[in-house]
Amino acid sequence: GQQLNQSPQSMFIQEGEDVSMNCTSSSIFNTWLWYKQDPGEGPVLLIALYKAGELTSNGRLTAQFGITRKDSFLNISASIPSDVGIYFCAGQLKGSNYKLTFGKGTLLTVNP
Amino acid sequence: NAGVTQTPKFRILKIGQSMTLQCAQDMNHNYMYWYRQDPGMGLKLIYYSVGAGITDKGEVPNGYNVSRSTTEDFPLRLELAAPSQTSVYFCASSYGLAGVYHEQYFGPGTRLTVT
């Protein structure tokens, strides 16, 4: 199946630091989504991106849809302990019928 | 709105048993999906439905069946459970218009162990 390369696989940071993670692919995507999953819960949508070059913020989170439509990144500024969790990127491939392709996730640990 | 609800939360099955994972949404979404999540592997699409009476296979459909008799409900059936089906199962829904994509919203998951 189609692959999304998400990196890094895990991050250990101190509270207050900024975080950056990204997803890349060899294929073109129409939509990029970023989700966060807390332990024992389902993924929760953080940010949705619909146009190449789009930059969208949600509080301390900022995400961008790459100009080539093959990548996206997520930044978290001034991290806090509740940012701990797994962050997933997901994309809707050009020509797909509402199906999403998911990255393998970035596990974020924030040390208070 | 309860959003997307799933039952049960946890289940242990013996090899060869069958069961149905329930999923319901109250957001009037036309699209519904079933995923499985294995450790370190992200989410894999099992089946999806674009409306009542219409279902289609995803990436990993073998060993599963679905039905969509109403807009609200999308149960996933496991027949002859196998250890390879040990996983966390997530149901999701979205509102789709032709040519327009809308975000998927996820349920809390069902953790299934087959021994």
Side-chain angles (χ1 to χ4, degrees), chain A residues 43-54:
Chain A
V44 174
L45 182 66
L46 298 173
I47 293 179
L49 303 159
Y50 298 101
K51 288 193 277 192
E54 180 180 354

Side-chain angles (χ1 to χ4, degrees), chain A residues 23-102:
Chain A
C23 274
T24 61
S25 176
S26 57
S27 300
I28 291 174
F29 286 83
N30 283 344
T31 304
W32 283 97
L33 305 167
W34 285 92
Y35 287 87
K36 183 192 177 201
Q37 185 177 25
D38 291 326
E41 302 293 330
V44 174
L45 182 66
L46 298 173
I47 293 179
L49 303 159
Y50 298 101
K51 288 193 277 192
E54 180 180 354
L55 185 71
T56 297
S57 293
N58 177 8
R60 294 179 294 105
L61 279 62
T62 301
Q64 185 159 27
F65 193 141
I67 286 290
T68 65
R69 297 171 66 189
K70 296 180 179 180
D71 59 355
S72 177
F73 72 76
L74 174 71
N75 284 344
I76 305 173
S77 63
S79 59
I80 59 178
S82 62
D83 289 335
V84 165
I86 302 176
Y87 292 80
F88 289 98
C89 64
Q92 181 208 5
L93 277 168
K94 179 183 177 184
S96 74
N97 186 23
Y98 303 102
K99 290 180 283 188
L100 289 179
T101 300
F102 281 83

Side-chain angles (χ1 to χ4, degrees), chain B:
Chain B
N1 278 358
V4 180
T5 58
Q6 292 183 240
T7 56
K9 186 80 170 170
F10 303 94
R11 183 73 186 266
I12 299 174
L13 281 182
K14 293 190 184 302
I15 294 171
Q17 286 185 323
S18 60
M19 76 165 292
T20 299
L21 282 67
Q22 301 292 343
C23 174
Q25 53 91 10
D26 62 359
M27 297 176 282
N28 203 30
H29 286 169
N30 49 346
Y31 285 71
M32 295 187 75
Y33 313 80
W34 273 106
Y35 294 89
R36 60 176 288 170
Q37 184 179 35
D38 300 313
M41 296 302 293
L43 290 100
K44 302 284 188 184
L45 182 65
I46 304 171
Y47 271 95
Y48 69 104
S49 168
V50 302
I54 306 170
T55 63
D56 206 350
K57 295 178 181 178
E59 194 178 348
V60 289
N62 291 344
Y64 307 94
N65 276 301
V66 293
S67 60
R68 183 97 181 270
S69 56
T70 67
T71 299
E72 294 79 18
D73 300 297
F74 190 40
L76 177 72
R77 178 83 177 162
L78 278 71
E79 305 281 3
L80 296 174
S84 61
Q85 293 178 303
T86 294
S87 189
V88 182
Y89 291 85
F90 289 102
C91 179
S93 71
S94 68
Y95 178 67
L97 284 176
V100 178
Y101 183 80
H102 291 261
E103 304 88 0
Q104 292 183 22
Y105 295 89
F106 285 80
T110 294
R111 185 176 297 275
L112 176 67
T113 302
V114 182
T115 62

